[in-house]
Amino acid sequence: MDKLFFDKKGGEKIMSVWWFAVLIVVGTGIVIAVLMFYSAEEDTRYVESEILYNKIADCVVQDGFLVDGVLAKEFDLMKICSLNEKTINEDKLFYIKINVLDENGNSLREQIVEGNKEFVAECEIQKPDENGKEIGAKYYSKCFEKTINIIYSDGKKGKLEILTASDNVGRKIGATENA
Amino acid sequence: MVKRGGFLLLNDKRGEDIFPNVIFIVVNILFFSMLIIFVFKSSTGAMVYEQAYAKQIALLIDYSEPKTDIKIDFSNAIAVAKENKKIQDLVKINEANKEVIVSLSGQGGYSMKYFSDYSVNTEFAGNFLLIHIKEKRVQNG
């Protein structure tokens, strides 16, 4: 059995300490890399902010016409568009900003704002610059912004600016929490 | 210096020198087999499927209109849950917190919130998960 570890002169032969050290280093490295890879979060925030945008756009504009009541001061976006008050305004995982403008860019009503207002700055920072370069910010909310042409009141043309943002990343929960 | 033959286990002088080589090879095969099994187990583990399904279900709920029924192939997740001896409550919808919880092992699960204010129910039909999305019931009084 000694031949496994030592040769005739007492030197290390096949199963040297260094070989075990190499196995440990390689094994530990692979285990850490695999655990890091498979425990990484799948980022669905951008998709989610786009879905939120689509939901709002479908809700307030139908066939290009602004839905009745949007210009009214008491318009309740959350109720009309079936959006959840708790997730958006209490948990603050989302942000919505809507601007209704006339043809010349003048506001037709007050901005409609819901959710976490801190996301405005994060969206602003992530906007592409003049050269089209974007700043990647992993821990910032992901935003979606689009302007669509609308017809309001008696056939007047206008624009609808919608900005949505999401920071809904999900979380692992423990056995006691799931009971 | 011992002169060795072309094949790994052949030795010109004495057969007893083969034994350490065999042990060396066996130990290496065992070590790398264990690593491969670990990588395979990790890639098909509950952790990966819980997150993927929770996010998929939450996004589908948000993308849907009321009066929608969705059918999802849940066979991979069910297989993982069976391996972990979990057979009940694989998917829970917490209506109060508006979150989807997918749990495929006895050690917790993964939770993902959705923003739509719908009434959501789930049920299993074989290997498929059925999600029923309805308009939220208006409570009188």
mmCIF file of all heavy atoms in Angstrom, chain A residues 43-92:
data_model
loop_
_atom_site.group_PDB
_atom_site.id
_atom_site.type_symbol
_atom_site.label_atom_id
_atom_site.label_comp_id
_atom_site.label_asym_id
_atom_site.label_seq_id
_atom_site.Cartn_x
_atom_site.Cartn_y
_atom_site.Cartn_z
ATOM 1 N N ASP A 43 -34.012 37.621 -14.631
ATOM 2 C CA ASP A 43 -34.521 38.992 -14.588
ATOM 3 C C ASP A 43 -35.701 39.158 -15.545
ATOM 4 O O ASP A 43 -35.529 39.149 -16.762
ATOM 5 C CB ASP A 43 -33.407 39.971 -14.938
ATOM 6 C CG ASP A 43 -33.759 41.383 -14.539
ATOM 7 O OD1 ASP A 43 -34.912 41.613 -14.132
ATOM 8 O OD2 ASP A 43 -32.882 42.261 -14.618
ATOM 9 N N THR A 44 -36.888 39.293 -14.984
ATOM 10 C CA THR A 44 -38.084 39.453 -15.826
ATOM 11 C C THR A 44 -38.659 40.871 -15.702
ATOM 12 O O THR A 44 -39.767 41.139 -16.147
ATOM 13 C CB THR A 44 -39.176 38.441 -15.426
ATOM 14 O OG1 THR A 44 -39.437 38.592 -14.021
ATOM 15 C CG2 THR A 44 -38.763 37.008 -15.703
ATOM 16 N N ARG A 45 -37.881 41.772 -15.085
ATOM 17 C CA ARG A 45 -38.430 43.107 -14.789
ATOM 18 C C ARG A 45 -38.759 43.914 -16.043
ATOM 19 O O ARG A 45 -39.775 44.600 -16.092
ATOM 20 C CB ARG A 45 -37.448 43.881 -13.898
ATOM 21 C CG ARG A 45 -37.342 43.317 -12.498
ATOM 22 C CD ARG A 45 -36.295 44.032 -11.705
ATOM 23 N NE ARG A 45 -34.980 43.852 -12.305
ATOM 24 C CZ ARG A 45 -33.894 44.495 -11.929
ATOM 25 N NH1 ARG A 45 -33.974 45.380 -10.947
ATOM 26 N NH2 ARG A 45 -32.732 44.279 -12.512
ATOM 27 N N TYR A 46 -37.892 43.826 -17.050
ATOM 28 C CA TYR A 46 -38.150 44.605 -18.266
ATOM 29 C C TYR A 46 -39.421 44.097 -18.967
ATOM 30 O O TYR A 46 -40.262 44.888 -19.393
ATOM 31 C CB TYR A 46 -36.942 44.530 -19.213
ATOM 32 C CG TYR A 46 -37.127 45.395 -20.433
ATOM 33 C CD1 TYR A 46 -36.959 46.772 -20.361
ATOM 34 C CD2 TYR A 46 -37.507 44.839 -21.643
ATOM 35 C CE1 TYR A 46 -37.164 47.566 -21.474
ATOM 36 C CE2 TYR A 46 -37.716 45.622 -22.762
ATOM 37 C CZ TYR A 46 -37.533 46.988 -22.677
ATOM 38 O OH TYR A 46 -37.749 47.779 -23.775
ATOM 39 N N VAL A 47 -39.550 42.770 -19.033
ATOM 40 C CA VAL A 47 -40.744 42.167 -19.657
ATOM 41 C C VAL A 47 -41.988 42.600 -18.888
ATOM 42 O O VAL A 47 -43.025 42.948 -19.461
ATOM 43 C CB VAL A 47 -40.629 40.625 -19.645
ATOM 44 C CG1 VAL A 47 -41.869 39.973 -20.235
ATOM 45 C CG2 VAL A 47 -39.404 40.172 -20.402
ATOM 46 N N GLU A 48 -41.851 42.620 -17.569
ATOM 47 C CA GLU A 48 -42.981 42.967 -16.724
ATOM 48 C C GLU A 48 -43.402 44.436 -16.915
ATOM 49 O O GLU A 48 -44.596 44.737 -16.967
ATOM 50 C CB GLU A 48 -42.599 42.724 -15.266
ATOM 51 C CG GLU A 48 -43.787 42.340 -14.433
ATOM 52 C CD GLU A 48 -43.358 41.755 -13.115
ATOM 53 O OE1 GLU A 48 -42.270 42.095 -12.637
ATOM 54 O OE2 GLU A 48 -44.113 40.949 -12.569
ATOM 55 N N SER A 49 -42.406 45.330 -17.040
ATOM 56 C CA SER A 49 -42.756 46.741 -17.242
ATOM 57 C C SER A 49 -43.412 46.924 -18.615
ATOM 58 O O SER A 49 -44.305 47.761 -18.771
ATOM 59 C CB SER A 49 -41.542 47.654 -17.066
ATOM 60 O OG SER A 49 -40.555 47.333 -18.002
ATOM 61 N N GLU A 50 -43.017 46.112 -19.594
ATOM 62 C CA GLU A 50 -43.645 46.179 -20.922
ATOM 63 C C GLU A 50 -45.089 45.651 -20.854
ATOM 64 O O GLU A 50 -45.993 46.209 -21.483
ATOM 65 C CB GLU A 50 -42.819 45.360 -21.927
ATOM 66 C CG GLU A 50 -43.232 45.642 -23.351
ATOM 67 C CD GLU A 50 -42.360 44.911 -24.375
ATOM 68 O OE1 GLU A 50 -41.280 44.425 -23.997
ATOM 69 O OE2 GLU A 50 -42.786 44.841 -25.537
ATOM 70 N N ILE A 51 -45.292 44.589 -20.089
ATOM 71 C CA ILE A 51 -46.645 44.049 -19.926
ATOM 72 C C ILE A 51 -47.541 45.085 -19.234
ATOM 73 O O ILE A 51 -48.692 45.298 -19.628
ATOM 74 C CB ILE A 51 -46.623 42.726 -19.120
ATOM 75 C CG1 ILE A 51 -45.948 41.612 -19.926
ATOM 76 C CG2 ILE A 51 -48.039 42.290 -18.723
ATOM 77 C CD1 ILE A 51 -45.726 40.315 -19.155
ATOM 78 N N LEU A 52 -46.983 45.754 -18.228
ATOM 79 C CA LEU A 52 -47.754 46.792 -17.517
ATOM 80 C C LEU A 52 -48.120 47.927 -18.470
ATOM 81 O O LEU A 52 -49.254 48.422 -18.464
ATOM 82 C CB LEU A 52 -46.921 47.310 -16.330
ATOM 83 C CG LEU A 52 -47.566 48.368 -15.434
ATOM 84 C CD1 LEU A 52 -48.887 47.889 -14.850
ATOM 85 C CD2 LEU A 52 -46.611 48.763 -14.307
ATOM 86 N N TYR A 53 -47.170 48.324 -19.311
ATOM 87 C CA TYR A 53 -47.440 49.366 -20.309
ATOM 88 C C TYR A 53 -48.588 48.925 -21.228
ATOM 89 O O TYR A 53 -49.538 49.684 -21.469
ATOM 90 C CB TYR A 53 -46.180 49.662 -21.136
ATOM 91 C CG TYR A 53 -46.505 50.345 -22.439
ATOM 92 C CD1 TYR A 53 -46.729 51.715 -22.498
ATOM 93 C CD2 TYR A 53 -46.658 49.601 -23.615
ATOM 94 C CE1 TYR A 53 -47.085 52.321 -23.687
ATOM 95 C CE2 TYR A 53 -47.010 50.199 -24.805
ATOM 96 C CZ TYR A 53 -47.221 51.562 -24.842
ATOM 97 O OH TYR A 53 -47.600 52.171 -26.013
ATOM 98 N N ASN A 54 -48.495 47.716 -21.758
ATOM 99 C CA ASN A 54 -49.523 47.211 -22.680
ATOM 100 C C ASN A 54 -50.892 47.175 -22.018
ATOM 101 O O ASN A 54 -51.906 47.489 -22.635
ATOM 102 C CB ASN A 54 -49.159 45.800 -23.161
ATOM 103 C CG ASN A 54 -48.116 45.855 -24.260
ATOM 104 O OD1 ASN A 54 -48.136 46.741 -25.103
ATOM 105 N ND2 ASN A 54 -47.182 44.922 -24.232
ATOM 106 N N LYS A 55 -50.892 46.760 -20.756
ATOM 107 C CA LYS A 55 -52.167 46.661 -20.034
ATOM 108 C C LYS A 55 -52.819 48.044 -19.904
ATOM 109 O O LYS A 55 -54.022 48.204 -20.132
ATOM 110 C CB LYS A 55 -51.897 46.076 -18.636
ATOM 111 C CG LYS A 55 -53.115 45.460 -18.026
ATOM 112 C CD LYS A 55 -52.750 44.696 -16.773
ATOM 113 C CE LYS A 55 -53.833 43.782 -16.356
ATOM 114 N NZ LYS A 55 -53.966 42.578 -17.127
ATOM 115 N N ILE A 56 -51.987 49.045 -19.569
ATOM 116 C CA ILE A 56 -52.515 50.404 -19.402
ATOM 117 C C ILE A 56 -52.951 50.976 -20.749
ATOM 118 O O ILE A 56 -54.034 51.560 -20.873
ATOM 119 C CB ILE A 56 -51.453 51.304 -18.723
ATOM 120 C CG1 ILE A 56 -51.230 50.834 -17.283
ATOM 121 C CG2 ILE A 56 -51.888 52.763 -18.739
ATOM 122 C CD1 ILE A 56 -49.988 51.385 -16.644
ATOM 123 N N ALA A 57 -52.117 50.786 -21.780
ATOM 124 C CA ALA A 57 -52.446 51.321 -23.104
ATOM 125 C C ALA A 57 -53.757 50.708 -23.624
ATOM 126 O O ALA A 57 -54.616 51.421 -24.160
ATOM 127 C CB ALA A 57 -51.303 51.034 -24.075
ATOM 128 N N ASP A 58 -53.920 49.392 -23.450
ATOM 129 C CA ASP A 58 -55.161 48.722 -23.893
ATOM 130 C C ASP A 58 -56.372 49.213 -23.109
ATOM 131 O O ASP A 58 -57.500 49.197 -23.594
ATOM 132 C CB ASP A 58 -55.036 47.201 -23.699
ATOM 133 C CG ASP A 58 -54.096 46.583 -24.716
ATOM 134 O OD1 ASP A 58 -53.755 47.276 -25.691
ATOM 135 O OD2 ASP A 58 -53.696 45.426 -24.517
ATOM 136 N N CYS A 59 -56.107 49.631 -21.879
ATOM 137 C CA CYS A 59 -57.201 50.020 -20.988
ATOM 138 C C CYS A 59 -57.667 51.461 -21.252
ATOM 139 O O CYS A 59 -58.858 51.728 -21.237
ATOM 140 C CB CYS A 59 -56.700 49.847 -19.557
ATOM 141 S SG CYS A 59 -57.672 50.594 -18.307
ATOM 142 N N VAL A 60 -56.729 52.371 -21.508
ATOM 143 C CA VAL A 60 -57.122 53.782 -21.667
ATOM 144 C C VAL A 60 -57.310 54.205 -23.126
ATOM 145 O O VAL A 60 -57.864 55.274 -23.390
ATOM 146 C CB VAL A 60 -56.123 54.743 -20.960
ATOM 147 C CG1 VAL A 60 -56.112 54.521 -19.477
ATOM 148 C CG2 VAL A 60 -54.734 54.638 -21.537
ATOM 149 N N VAL A 61 -56.829 53.394 -24.055
ATOM 150 C CA VAL A 61 -57.022 53.716 -25.480
ATOM 151 C C VAL A 61 -57.666 52.524 -26.172
ATOM 152 O O VAL A 61 -57.194 51.393 -26.044
ATOM 153 C CB VAL A 61 -55.653 54.026 -26.166
ATOM 154 C CG1 VAL A 61 -55.858 54.375 -27.631
ATOM 155 C CG2 VAL A 61 -54.927 55.145 -25.466
ATOM 156 N N GLN A 62 -58.772 52.795 -26.865
ATOM 157 C CA GLN A 62 -59.411 51.710 -27.610
ATOM 158 C C GLN A 62 -59.614 52.138 -29.053
ATOM 159 O O GLN A 62 -60.238 53.161 -29.319
ATOM 160 C CB GLN A 62 -60.744 51.333 -26.944
ATOM 161 C CG GLN A 62 -60.498 50.407 -25.764
ATOM 162 C CD GLN A 62 -61.717 50.166 -24.912
ATOM 163 O OE1 GLN A 62 -62.812 50.611 -25.217
ATOM 164 N NE2 GLN A 62 -61.509 49.468 -23.808
ATOM 165 N N ASP A 63 -59.028 51.374 -29.957
ATOM 166 C CA ASP A 63 -59.054 51.684 -31.400
ATOM 167 C C ASP A 63 -58.552 53.099 -31.685
ATOM 168 O O ASP A 63 -59.086 53.798 -32.554
ATOM 169 C CB ASP A 63 -60.481 51.518 -31.954
ATOM 170 C CG ASP A 63 -60.979 50.097 -31.777
ATOM 171 O OD1 ASP A 63 -60.149 49.177 -31.894
ATOM 172 O OD2 ASP A 63 -62.182 49.916 -31.509
ATOM 173 N N GLY A 64 -57.565 53.527 -30.934
ATOM 174 C CA GLY A 64 -56.966 54.845 -31.168
ATOM 175 C C GLY A 64 -57.676 55.983 -30.453
ATOM 176 O O GLY A 64 -57.189 57.113 -30.439
ATOM 177 N N PHE A 65 -58.830 55.714 -29.870
ATOM 178 C CA PHE A 65 -59.595 56.750 -29.176
ATOM 179 C C PHE A 65 -59.340 56.690 -27.673
ATOM 180 O O PHE A 65 -59.347 55.585 -27.089
ATOM 181 C CB PHE A 65 -61.101 56.583 -29.422
ATOM 182 C CG PHE A 65 -61.512 56.931 -30.823
ATOM 183 C CD1 PHE A 65 -61.469 55.977 -31.827
ATOM 184 C CD2 PHE A 65 -61.910 58.224 -31.136
ATOM 185 C CE1 PHE A 65 -61.829 56.294 -33.126
ATOM 186 C CE2 PHE A 65 -62.277 58.547 -32.437
ATOM 187 C CZ PHE A 65 -62.243 57.588 -33.432
ATOM 188 N N LEU A 66 -59.143 57.845 -27.063
ATOM 189 C CA LEU A 66 -58.964 57.897 -25.618
ATOM 190 C C LEU A 66 -60.302 57.551 -24.950
ATOM 191 O O LEU A 66 -61.344 58.097 -25.310
ATOM 192 C CB LEU A 66 -58.518 59.306 -25.197
ATOM 193 C CG LEU A 66 -57.994 59.447 -23.776
ATOM 194 C CD1 LEU A 66 -56.634 58.748 -23.626
ATOM 195 C CD2 LEU A 66 -57.822 60.922 -23.415
ATOM 196 N N VAL A 67 -60.255 56.640 -24.012
ATOM 197 C CA VAL A 67 -61.479 56.171 -23.348
ATOM 198 C C VAL A 67 -62.129 57.322 -22.553
ATOM 199 O O VAL A 67 -61.420 58.164 -21.986
ATOM 200 C CB VAL A 67 -61.122 54.982 -22.416
ATOM 201 C CG1 VAL A 67 -62.245 54.661 -21.457
ATOM 202 C CG2 VAL A 67 -60.738 53.766 -23.227
ATOM 203 N N ASP A 68 -63.447 57.363 -22.552
ATOM 204 C CA ASP A 68 -64.177 58.403 -21.813
ATOM 205 C C ASP A 68 -63.769 58.386 -20.347
ATOM 206 O O ASP A 68 -63.637 57.330 -19.747
ATOM 207 C CB ASP A 68 -65.697 58.149 -21.899
ATOM 208 C CG ASP A 68 -66.216 58.462 -23.288
ATOM 209 O OD1 ASP A 68 -65.520 59.177 -24.022
ATOM 210 O OD2 ASP A 68 -67.311 57.961 -23.632
ATOM 211 N N GLY A 69 -63.610 59.542 -19.815
ATOM 212 C CA GLY A 69 -63.343 59.640 -18.368
ATOM 213 C C GLY A 69 -61.870 59.806 -18.036
ATOM 214 O O GLY A 69 -61.529 60.202 -16.925
ATOM 215 N N VAL A 70 -60.972 59.530 -18.974
ATOM 216 C CA VAL A 70 -59.535 59.645 -18.668
ATOM 217 C C VAL A 70 -59.157 61.100 -18.374
ATOM 218 O O VAL A 70 -58.306 61.370 -17.511
ATOM 219 C CB VAL A 70 -58.672 59.086 -19.833
ATOM 220 C CG1 VAL A 70 -57.188 59.270 -19.561
ATOM 221 C CG2 VAL A 70 -58.969 57.611 -20.063
ATOM 222 N N LEU A 71 -59.824 62.028 -19.078
ATOM 223 C CA LEU A 71 -59.502 63.443 -18.865
ATOM 224 C C LEU A 71 -60.145 64.013 -17.599
ATOM 225 O O LEU A 71 -59.793 65.103 -17.161
ATOM 226 C CB LEU A 71 -59.926 64.262 -20.088
ATOM 227 C CG LEU A 71 -59.132 63.967 -21.377
ATOM 228 C CD1 LEU A 71 -59.670 64.773 -22.541
ATOM 229 C CD2 LEU A 71 -57.658 64.252 -21.181
ATOM 230 N N ALA A 72 -61.058 63.252 -17.022
ATOM 231 C CA ALA A 72 -61.709 63.726 -15.785
ATOM 232 C C ALA A 72 -60.740 63.636 -14.609
ATOM 233 O O ALA A 72 -59.893 62.736 -14.552
ATOM 234 C CB ALA A 72 -62.947 62.883 -15.514
ATOM 235 N N LYS A 73 -60.877 64.588 -13.683
ATOM 236 C CA LYS A 73 -59.954 64.657 -12.541
ATOM 237 C C LYS A 73 -60.081 63.432 -11.642
ATOM 238 O O LYS A 73 -59.108 62.966 -11.050
ATOM 239 C CB LYS A 73 -60.237 65.929 -11.747
ATOM 240 C CG LYS A 73 -59.059 66.361 -10.907
ATOM 241 C CD LYS A 73 -59.338 67.668 -10.186
ATOM 242 C CE LYS A 73 -58.131 68.037 -9.320
ATOM 243 N NZ LYS A 73 -58.398 69.236 -8.529
ATOM 244 N N GLU A 74 -61.305 62.908 -11.545
ATOM 245 C CA GLU A 74 -61.543 61.777 -10.627
ATOM 246 C C GLU A 74 -61.282 60.407 -11.264
ATOM 247 O O GLU A 74 -61.657 59.372 -10.714
ATOM 248 C CB GLU A 74 -62.971 61.841 -10.052
ATOM 249 C CG GLU A 74 -64.089 61.762 -11.065
ATOM 250 C CD GLU A 74 -64.449 63.120 -11.660
ATOM 251 O OE1 GLU A 74 -63.694 64.105 -11.489
ATOM 252 O OE2 GLU A 74 -65.496 63.190 -12.314
ATOM 253 N N PHE A 75 -60.617 60.394 -12.421
ATOM 254 C CA PHE A 75 -60.334 59.124 -13.108
ATOM 255 C C PHE A 75 -59.471 58.219 -12.217
ATOM 256 O O PHE A 75 -58.400 58.617 -11.765
ATOM 257 C CB PHE A 75 -59.613 59.406 -14.437
ATOM 258 C CG PHE A 75 -59.206 58.159 -15.177
ATOM 259 C CD1 PHE A 75 -60.151 57.351 -15.783
ATOM 260 C CD2 PHE A 75 -57.866 57.794 -15.268
ATOM 261 C CE1 PHE A 75 -59.773 56.198 -16.470
ATOM 262 C CE2 PHE A 75 -57.481 56.652 -15.948
ATOM 263 C CZ PHE A 75 -58.438 55.855 -16.548
ATOM 264 N N ASP A 76 -59.958 57.003 -11.974
ATOM 265 C CA ASP A 76 -59.241 56.062 -11.092
ATOM 266 C C ASP A 76 -58.587 54.973 -11.956
ATOM 267 O O ASP A 76 -59.215 53.971 -12.311
ATOM 268 C CB ASP A 76 -60.231 55.440 -10.085
ATOM 269 C CG ASP A 76 -59.524 54.614 -9.029
ATOM 270 O OD1 ASP A 76 -58.311 54.358 -9.187
ATOM 271 O OD2 ASP A 76 -60.180 54.227 -8.041
ATOM 272 N N LEU A 77 -57.325 55.195 -12.264
ATOM 273 C CA LEU A 77 -56.589 54.276 -13.146
ATOM 274 C C LEU A 77 -56.544 52.856 -12.582
ATOM 275 O O LEU A 77 -56.759 51.871 -13.305
ATOM 276 C CB LEU A 77 -55.153 54.788 -13.351
ATOM 277 C CG LEU A 77 -54.252 53.890 -14.195
ATOM 278 C CD1 LEU A 77 -54.536 54.078 -15.672
ATOM 279 C CD2 LEU A 77 -52.786 54.155 -13.912
ATOM 280 N N MET A 78 -56.283 52.751 -11.261
ATOM 281 C CA MET A 78 -56.119 51.438 -10.630
ATOM 282 C C MET A 78 -57.389 50.594 -10.765
ATOM 283 O O MET A 78 -57.328 49.402 -11.040
ATOM 284 C CB MET A 78 -55.768 51.593 -9.143
ATOM 285 C CG MET A 78 -54.569 52.476 -8.888
ATOM 286 S SD MET A 78 -53.072 51.811 -9.606
ATOM 287 C CE MET A 78 -52.662 50.592 -8.412
ATOM 288 N N LYS A 79 -58.520 51.243 -10.565
ATOM 289 C CA LYS A 79 -59.792 50.524 -10.596
ATOM 290 C C LYS A 79 -60.189 50.182 -12.037
ATOM 291 O O LYS A 79 -60.562 49.039 -12.341
ATOM 292 C CB LYS A 79 -60.879 51.379 -9.926
ATOM 293 C CG LYS A 79 -62.094 50.600 -9.512
ATOM 294 C CD LYS A 79 -63.053 51.505 -8.773
ATOM 295 C CE LYS A 79 -64.382 50.802 -8.564
ATOM 296 N NZ LYS A 79 -65.382 51.719 -8.005
ATOM 297 N N ILE A 80 -60.099 51.184 -12.902
ATOM 298 C CA ILE A 80 -60.538 50.994 -14.292
ATOM 299 C C ILE A 80 -59.677 49.941 -15.010
ATOM 300 O O ILE A 80 -60.170 49.152 -15.796
ATOM 301 C CB ILE A 80 -60.481 52.342 -15.066
ATOM 302 C CG1 ILE A 80 -61.355 53.394 -14.391
ATOM 303 C CG2 ILE A 80 -60.854 52.177 -16.539
ATOM 304 C CD1 ILE A 80 -62.841 53.132 -14.421
ATOM 305 N N CYS A 81 -58.367 49.929 -14.715
ATOM 306 C CA CYS A 81 -57.459 49.010 -15.413
ATOM 307 C C CYS A 81 -57.190 47.732 -14.619
ATOM 308 O O CYS A 81 -56.286 46.965 -14.983
ATOM 309 C CB CYS A 81 -56.140 49.706 -15.727
ATOM 310 S SG CYS A 81 -56.340 51.103 -16.830
ATOM 311 N N SER A 82 -57.938 47.494 -13.556
ATOM 312 C CA SER A 82 -57.776 46.289 -12.715
ATOM 313 C C SER A 82 -56.332 46.101 -12.240
ATOM 314 O O SER A 82 -55.744 45.028 -12.386
ATOM 315 C CB SER A 82 -58.228 45.028 -13.466
ATOM 316 O OG SER A 82 -59.581 45.084 -13.732
ATOM 317 N N LEU A 83 -55.763 47.165 -11.698
ATOM 318 C CA LEU A 83 -54.400 47.081 -11.151
ATOM 319 C C LEU A 83 -54.490 47.003 -9.628
ATOM 320 O O LEU A 83 -55.349 47.648 -9.020
ATOM 321 C CB LEU A 83 -53.574 48.299 -11.570
ATOM 322 C CG LEU A 83 -53.402 48.484 -13.083
ATOM 323 C CD1 LEU A 83 -52.744 49.831 -13.380
ATOM 324 C CD2 LEU A 83 -52.577 47.359 -13.673
ATOM 325 N N ASN A 84 -53.584 46.246 -9.042
ATOM 326 C CA ASN A 84 -53.669 46.021 -7.604
ATOM 327 C C ASN A 84 -52.975 47.132 -6.807
ATOM 328 O O ASN A 84 -51.791 47.405 -7.005
ATOM 329 C CB ASN A 84 -53.063 44.660 -7.254
ATOM 330 C CG ASN A 84 -53.248 44.340 -5.794
ATOM 331 O OD1 ASN A 84 -52.330 44.422 -5.022
ATOM 332 N ND2 ASN A 84 -54.467 44.015 -5.411
ATOM 333 N N GLU A 85 -53.765 47.708 -5.923
ATOM 334 C CA GLU A 85 -53.296 48.822 -5.088
ATOM 335 C C GLU A 85 -52.104 48.407 -4.218
ATOM 336 O O GLU A 85 -51.122 49.125 -4.091
ATOM 337 C CB GLU A 85 -54.459 49.270 -4.197
ATOM 338 C CG GLU A 85 -54.257 50.576 -3.479
ATOM 339 C CD GLU A 85 -54.419 51.797 -4.375
ATOM 340 O OE1 GLU A 85 -55.293 51.776 -5.267
ATOM 341 O OE2 GLU A 85 -53.662 52.737 -4.172
ATOM 342 N N LYS A 86 -52.197 47.197 -3.639
ATOM 343 C CA LYS A 86 -51.181 46.759 -2.687
ATOM 344 C C LYS A 86 -49.810 46.574 -3.359
ATOM 345 O O LYS A 86 -48.805 47.093 -2.894
ATOM 346 C CB LYS A 86 -51.617 45.443 -2.013
ATOM 347 C CG LYS A 86 -50.679 45.017 -0.918
ATOM 348 C CD LYS A 86 -51.103 43.738 -0.259
ATOM 349 C CE LYS A 86 -50.169 43.382 0.901
ATOM 350 N NZ LYS A 86 -48.770 43.332 0.564
ATOM 351 N N THR A 87 -49.790 45.829 -4.447
ATOM 352 C CA THR A 87 -48.510 45.550 -5.110
ATOM 353 C C THR A 87 -47.865 46.829 -5.649
ATOM 354 O O THR A 87 -46.652 46.991 -5.562
ATOM 355 C CB THR A 87 -48.721 44.585 -6.311
ATOM 356 O OG1 THR A 87 -49.745 43.674 -5.999
ATOM 357 C CG2 THR A 87 -47.470 43.856 -6.650
ATOM 358 N N ILE A 88 -48.710 47.725 -6.168
ATOM 359 C CA ILE A 88 -48.148 48.911 -6.817
ATOM 360 C C ILE A 88 -47.870 50.038 -5.826
ATOM 361 O O ILE A 88 -46.776 50.601 -5.808
ATOM 362 C CB ILE A 88 -49.070 49.370 -7.973
ATOM 363 C CG1 ILE A 88 -49.059 48.288 -9.068
ATOM 364 C CG2 ILE A 88 -48.629 50.718 -8.534
ATOM 365 C CD1 ILE A 88 -50.042 48.486 -10.188
ATOM 366 N N ASN A 89 -48.845 50.354 -4.971
ATOM 367 C CA ASN A 89 -48.670 51.517 -4.092
ATOM 368 C C ASN A 89 -48.154 51.198 -2.689
ATOM 369 O O ASN A 89 -47.547 52.052 -2.051
ATOM 370 C CB ASN A 89 -49.981 52.297 -3.992
ATOM 371 C CG ASN A 89 -50.212 53.133 -5.230
ATOM 372 O OD1 ASN A 89 -49.268 53.651 -5.835
ATOM 373 N ND2 ASN A 89 -51.460 53.234 -5.651
ATOM 374 N N GLU A 90 -48.401 49.988 -2.183
ATOM 375 C CA GLU A 90 -47.909 49.654 -0.837
ATOM 376 C C GLU A 90 -46.555 48.946 -0.893
ATOM 377 O O GLU A 90 -45.611 49.330 -0.219
ATOM 378 C CB GLU A 90 -48.934 48.784 -0.097
ATOM 379 C CG GLU A 90 -50.160 49.555 0.347
ATOM 380 C CD GLU A 90 -51.194 48.654 0.992
ATOM 381 O OE1 GLU A 90 -50.825 47.697 1.687
ATOM 382 O OE2 GLU A 90 -52.402 48.915 0.787
ATOM 383 N N ASP A 91 -46.468 47.905 -1.711
ATOM 384 C CA ASP A 91 -45.183 47.188 -1.832
ATOM 385 C C ASP A 91 -44.167 47.995 -2.649
ATOM 386 O O ASP A 91 -42.971 47.732 -2.586
ATOM 387 C CB ASP A 91 -45.396 45.814 -2.489
ATOM 388 C CG ASP A 91 -46.297 44.919 -1.649
ATOM 389 O OD1 ASP A 91 -46.381 45.167 -0.438
ATOM 390 O OD2 ASP A 91 -46.903 43.985 -2.207
ATOM 391 N N LYS A 92 -44.678 48.925 -3.422
ATOM 392 C CA LYS A 92 -43.845 49.840 -4.232
ATOM 393 C C LYS A 92 -42.887 49.096 -5.179
ATOM 394 O O LYS A 92 -41.706 49.411 -5.274
ATOM 395 C CB LYS A 92 -43.084 50.805 -3.311
ATOM 396 C CG LYS A 92 -44.004 51.727 -2.525
ATOM 397 C CD LYS A 92 -43.286 52.907 -1.978
ATOM 398 C CE LYS A 92 -44.215 53.847 -1.246
ATOM 399 N NZ LYS A 92 -45.175 54.539 -2.101
#
